[in-house]
Structure formats: C-alpha cells, structure tokens
Amino acid sequence: MGHRPGIRCQAEACGAAVTLYLRPKVGFCNCAKGVYDNAEIDRVGDMALLGPEFSGLGDSQQIAVGWMQGRSRVFSVSGPYEAPSAAVAIAFNDKCDVVVATVTADADLARGTQQALAFLNSDPVLRWARANSARTEVDA
C-alpha cells in the first residue's frame, strides 16, 4: 500500500510473513445491512490502494471480529508493471462505521488471513475499533 506503514508479522512468528493494513471508515457502511455481500466488500475494501486492477476470486466469507460482523474476500491485484498477486480484504462494521483490514502474505495467504483474524480479535485492536467508531460506552 505504497509507503503506508502496515503491521508486519514475520514468518517465524506467524507461519507466513504477513502484513496487515488497518483503517476505520466512519459513516461509510450500509447502516441497515452492514458488510453483507460481495458488492459491499468490493466497495468498502482497500484493494485499489494495492493496485489499480483488482477482482474478487470467489465469494466472500462471513467473519466476526468482537461484537462486529462482516466479510472477507480474496482478490487478485495487479498494476501496469506488476505481476498479479493475491490479497485479502476483511471488512466488518459497527452500525454505520466499517473497519477495513487488508492482508498480504509472502507465501501462505490462507494462514496469513487466519493470523490476521486472530489479531483483529485481540483486546488492543477491539479497543482501537471501539475508539475509532461512533460507538459509545452506553452502547458497549
């Protein structure tokens, strides 16, 4: 994702070298349905930040991160001078706010995605998600 810092986990610790990019998109989600289908994850995901050409590979899968529901989907991403590579978009919402995680891995993308979901469900990330959404302590 250009020069944006990601959260990196080396292969020795995660089984595959994984980079996770994470950002909130406040007010960006379908408030009534959340991240509910392929079209919605395609819309809110950050694949365009990895390369201008991207397409979903298969259907998205339902996921849960803390109290939030969402979807994940594998994409093929490429640019004009780059070979296609795979990445995963994970998007989950709290009311009208969505958190988007983009996962890349040097080798085993499936294992990298599992590691990313475990990290996303950790207390520090859930506290960060709560702090970066419109969710209030009364709602929690």
Side-chain angles (χ1 to χ4, degrees):
M1 293 182 99
H3 298 291
R4 304 180 90 202
I7 301 163
R8 182 101 171 137
C9 183
Q10 298 301 327
E12 299 77 31
C14 289
V18 179
T19 303
L20 173 73
Y21 303 93
L22 187 63
R23 71 180 183 143
K25 293 185 174 183
V26 177
F28 205 76
C29 191
N30 179 321
C31 299
K33 295 182 181 179
V35 183
Y36 63 96
D37 66 3
N38 291 340
E40 186 69 4
I41 196 165
D42 293 356
R43 184 181 76 79
V44 301
D46 282 338
M47 289 299 118
L49 298 176
L50 294 177
E53 299 170 22
F54 59 92
S55 60
L57 302 175
D59 286 330
S60 60
Q61 304 298 312
Q62 190 170 9
I63 57 99
V65 174
W67 67 93
M68 300 166 283
Q69 300 296 309
R71 305 205 64 87
S72 68
R73 190 174 193 195
V74 178
F75 287 83
S76 175
V77 183
S78 63
Y81 305 105
E82 301 171 7
S85 61
V88 173
I90 301 171
F92 45 96
N93 70 290
D94 182 15
K95 299 179 183 167
C96 300
D97 302 333
V98 65
V99 176
V100 177
T102 305
V103 180
T104 62
D106 292 348
D108 189 348
L109 188 58
R111 183 172 178 126
T113 302
Q114 291 173 342
Q115 294 291 336
L117 282 168
F119 177 73
L120 292 170
N121 274 289
S122 69
D123 286 340
V125 175
L126 294 176
R127 283 193 305 270
W128 174 87
R130 185 170 276 122
N132 283 282
S133 73
R135 185 179 183 89
T136 64
E137 289 304 315
V138 174
D139 296 333

